[in-house]
Amino acid sequence: MELSTQIAWLFLLAIPIACIAWTVTHEEVFREPRDYCVSRCHTGKTIAERKFFYLFTCEYCFSHYVTLAMLLLTNYKLLMTDWRGYLIAGFALVFVANIYMSLFALVRIDLKKVRLETEIEEKKK
């Protein structure tokens, strides 16, 4: 695969990775399982149990596992055609997906700020 095609795949594959990781770790639709995982990561008896349940509460951690699934699903490799290509692709996808999630978080904060300012202005009138 050409390098330009590999780069395009990198930025495109990171989109669903970011969407899945963000949705599971932040959105209301997964609140109950996430709350359960939060309580188990705080009250687990072993460190392995606490770390396992923490995976589902941290978008960065969870994005590694979503990336692994995407790599298995798509057979995407970056720069090299052997196992090293998978390794490079995995870390590059996690990096780009987390940039996307950070940008999305900033946009959401700005939207909430504007909404709150609008509500305050409406109440003053």
Side-chain angles (χ1 to χ4, degrees):
M1 195 181 323
E2 267 189 52
L3 183 60
S4 60
T5 306
Q6 291 178 19
I7 299 299
W9 272 89
L10 171 67
F11 286 96
L12 290 173
L13 273 179
I15 294 169
I17 292 168
C19 289
I20 293 167
W22 183 272
T23 301
V24 170
T25 60
H26 287 84
E27 295 303 327
E28 189 66 22
V29 69
F30 286 101
R31 184 175 50 85
E32 290 84 4
R34 188 174 51 254
D35 289 346
Y36 174 76
C37 290
V38 167
S39 71
R40 291 291 302 269
C41 81
H42 292 303
T43 61
K45 294 183 186 345
T46 65
I47 192 167
E49 179 184 3
R50 290 190 303 269
K51 297 304 176 191
F52 174 78
F53 284 103
Y54 182 73
L55 294 176
F56 302 100
T57 64
C58 169
E59 72 271 5
Y60 176 75
C61 302
F62 193 63
S63 69
H64 284 81
Y65 292 94
V66 177
T67 297
L68 180 63
M70 287 299 257
L71 287 174
L72 293 173
L73 185 67
T74 62
N75 198 29
Y76 172 67
K77 298 174 195 133
L78 185 61
L79 300 178
M80 299 177 184
T81 58
D82 57 2
W83 64 270
R84 297 174 296 175
Y86 283 121
L87 193 64
I88 294 167
F91 287 113
L93 283 167
V94 167
F95 179 79
V96 174
N98 278 280
I99 289 172
Y100 289 163
M101 286 186 283
S102 296
L103 292 172
F104 183 69
L106 289 172
V107 168
R108 283 184 62 145
I109 289 170
D110 284 343
L111 289 174
K112 283 183 180 182
K113 180 182 173 186
V114 168
R115 190 178 314 128
L116 287 173
E117 289 172 347
T118 304
E119 287 176 10
I120 292 169
E121 288 298 318
E122 289 294 318
K123 287 181 181 178
K124 287 181 181 178
K125 291 180 182 181

